[in-house]
């Protein structure tokens, strides 16, 4: 029985139909239903920010949902099982609160500190290894999605991972809803596999106007990822995890084996360092406070975070060109994303 799809709300089900009109390919279901993948269903793509009233998410979207969607995009454009599975597995090592744990590890700007566990998790999964053996696929062919340019590539290029979180966040999985399913479909159907400046495959747009629409949404989302309320929240959750870990109240294994719901239970029952009270203060806060100078006596943070942005290709007279070279409108939006600044410090009225 295929249980995963039945758990999804209609918006996500319809979104998946756009990404793969023929549905989820049969071979993929068995991998989705493994314990290692299903565990990702208890982790939000919001990096934990969804639990504070400062953020307005329209629906729950899990790390599993994101991974399946990435796999569907890759399958749609390549029909290649290995690349599709590499996309499905790319976040299999994601811990609770997602990139907040990168903040805990001091990896603010690349946010890749947890990826090294991917191969280990796949190799130690009897079910996944059995399925790979069934499909005559080597672990080396699916444990690193960076080797497939349609799955992943360097910023600011467009690949399945970057495309997926832009579409889903703009649809309502993020803090700012930018488009409905109809607009997502219009954007998605305008994308094809093209060759970039390095003669490598890359996802690109057929029409300049649609590319401009996508870039506009991307620039809005790019700014939202590095707002002070976002950076503050991720650092706060990272500091909670660090303090609880140092006090042996939580283990590194817990970050990878428990759901966010289970971890939050532990946080809300933690009296040390006033963790429970501080967490509830953040949870009920509706607005962050900001300053250009440090604020004494408050939990106050200053973080330089990763800027996520995309400069997609667009086909012009049978040649693929970066949109910023042919569209002043798109170039302005890209510059807005790159030059977005907040006040230096963010804080709330508690000591931690």
């Amino acid at each position: 029985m295929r249980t995963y799809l039945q758990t999804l709300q209609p918006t996500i089900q319809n979104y998946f139909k756009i990404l793969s009109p023929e549905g989820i390919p049969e071979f993929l279901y068995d991998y989705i239903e493994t314990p290692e993948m299903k565990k990702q269903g208890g982790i939000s793509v919001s990096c934990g920010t969804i639990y504070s009233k400062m953020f307005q998410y329209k629906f729950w979207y899990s790390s599993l949902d994101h991974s399946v969607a990435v796999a569907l995009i890759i399958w749609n454009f390549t029909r290649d099982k290995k690349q599709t599975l590499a996309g499905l597995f790319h976040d299999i090592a994601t811990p609770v609160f997602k990139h907040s744990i990168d903040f805990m590890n001091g990896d603010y700007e690349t946010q890749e500190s947890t990826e090294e566990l991917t191969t280990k998790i796949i190799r130690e999964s009897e079910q996944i290894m059995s399925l790979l053996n069934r499909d005559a696929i080597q672990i080396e062919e699916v444990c690193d999605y960076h080797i497939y340019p349609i799955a992943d590539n360097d910023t600011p290029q467009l690949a399945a991972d970057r495309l997926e979180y832009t579409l889903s966040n703009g649809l309502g999985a993020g803090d700012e809803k930018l488009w409905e399913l109809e607009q997502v479909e219009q954007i998605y159907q305008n994308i094809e596999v093209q060759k970039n400046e390095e003669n490598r495959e890359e996802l690109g747009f057929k029409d300049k106007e649609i590319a401009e629409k996508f870039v506009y949404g991307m620039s809005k989302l790019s700014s939202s990822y590095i707002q002070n309320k976002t950076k503050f929240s991720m650092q706060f959750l990272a500091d909670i995890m660090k303090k609880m870990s140092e006090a042996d109240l939580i283990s590194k294994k817990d970050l990878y084996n428990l759901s966010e719901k289970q971890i939050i239970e532990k946080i809300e029952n933690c009296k040390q360092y006033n963790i429970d009270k501080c967490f509830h203060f953040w949870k009920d806060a509706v607005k962050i406070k900001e300053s250009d100078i440090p604020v004494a006596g408050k939990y106050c943070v200053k973080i330089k975070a990763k800027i996520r942005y995309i400069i997609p290709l667009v086909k012009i007279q049978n040649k693929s060109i970066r949109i910023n070279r042919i569209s002043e409108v798109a170039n302005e939006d890209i510059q807005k994303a790159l030059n977005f600044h907040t006040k230096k410090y963010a804080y709330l009225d508690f000591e931690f």
Side-chain angles (χ1 to χ4, degrees), residues 4-15 58-60:
Y4 169 66
L5 265 183
Q6 297 170 356
T7 67
L8 301 177
Q9 60 127 288
T11 299
I12 302 176
Q13 290 189 24
N14 290 326
Y15 170 56
K58 305 303 179 287
F59 52 81
W60 168 269

Side-chain angles (χ1 to χ4, degrees), residues 96 104 240-255 258 263 266-267:
V96 293
M104 176 179 161
I240 286 179
M241 294 294 95
K242 189 172 184 179
K243 286 195 175 188
M244 290 181 71
S245 176
E246 288 172 349
D248 292 325
L249 300 170
I250 205 168
S251 69
K252 190 171 182 181
K253 270 189 173 181
D254 290 336
L255 301 179
L258 300 182
I263 292 291
K266 288 179 177 286
I267 293 171

Side-chain angles (χ1 to χ4, degrees), residues 323-340:
I323 186 69
N324 61 330
R325 292 179 54 196
I326 57 169
S327 169
E328 188 57 40
V329 171
N331 188 50
E332 286 177 8
D333 286 332
I334 291 163
Q335 292 308 311
K336 282 178 190 174
L338 290 172
N339 295 313
F340 178 76

Side-chain angles (χ1 to χ4, degrees), residues 199-211:
N199 203 34
R200 298 185 73 196
E201 288 189 336
E202 181 182 337
L203 298 179
F205 287 88
K206 302 172 190 174
D207 300 314
K208 176 185 167 188
E209 292 73 23
I210 306 297

Side-chain angles (χ1 to χ4, degrees), residues 103 108-109 111 225-226 231 303-308:
F103 277 45
Y108 307 104
E109 296 192 60
Q111 296 181 10
Y225 301 148
I226 54 173
K231 293 186 290 186
I303 301 161
K304 183 181 179 183
K306 177 180 182 178
I307 298 177
R308 297 177 180 269

Side-chain angles (χ1 to χ4, degrees), residues 25-82:
E26 191 63 29
F27 80 92
L28 202 56
Y29 273 113
D30 292 334
Y31 292 94
I32 293 170
E33 297 290 342
T34 59
E36 291 78 13
M37 287 307 307
K38 289 176 79 173
K39 177 175 60 68
Q40 293 296 315
I43 299 171
S44 167
V45 296
S46 72
C47 303
T49 59
I50 194 171
Y51 303 110
S52 171
K53 291 178 182 175
M54 285 189 282
F55 300 87
Q56 304 298 317
Y57 294 92
K58 305 303 179 287
F59 52 81
W60 168 269
Y61 198 67
S62 73
S63 181
L64 175 59
D65 301 332
H66 164 66
S67 297
V68 172
V70 169
L72 292 179
I73 292 171
I74 296 168
W75 179 252
N76 181 69
F77 288 108
T78 70
R79 289 297 190 271
D80 185 287
K81 283 187 180 181
K82 295 171 185 176

Side-chain angles (χ1 to χ4, degrees), residues 178-242:
L178 299 172
W179 37 57
E180 303 295 335
L181 283 164
E182 292 76 17
Q183 284 81 52
V184 169
E185 185 169 22
Q186 182 190 42
I187 290 168
Y188 190 68
Q189 290 185 350
N190 199 252
I191 294 171
E192 64 182 2
V193 177
Q194 299 178 6
K195 287 290 184 75
N196 64 20
E197 308 91 332
E198 298 169 349
N199 203 34
R200 298 185 73 196
E201 288 189 336
E202 181 182 337
L203 298 179
F205 287 88
K206 302 172 190 174
D207 300 314
K208 176 185 167 188
E209 292 73 23
I210 306 297
E212 287 173 335
K213 182 181 291 189
F214 175 79
V215 167
Y216 171 77
M218 176 280 299
S219 69
K220 301 275 283 185
L221 292 168
S222 175
S223 301
S224 75
Y225 301 148
I226 54 173
Q227 291 179 92
N228 265 332
K229 66 178 183 178
T230 306
K231 293 186 290 186
F232 175 95
S233 297
M234 291 173 71
Q235 185 62 59
F236 176 58
L237 291 169
D239 286 344
I240 286 179
M241 294 294 95
K242 189 172 184 179

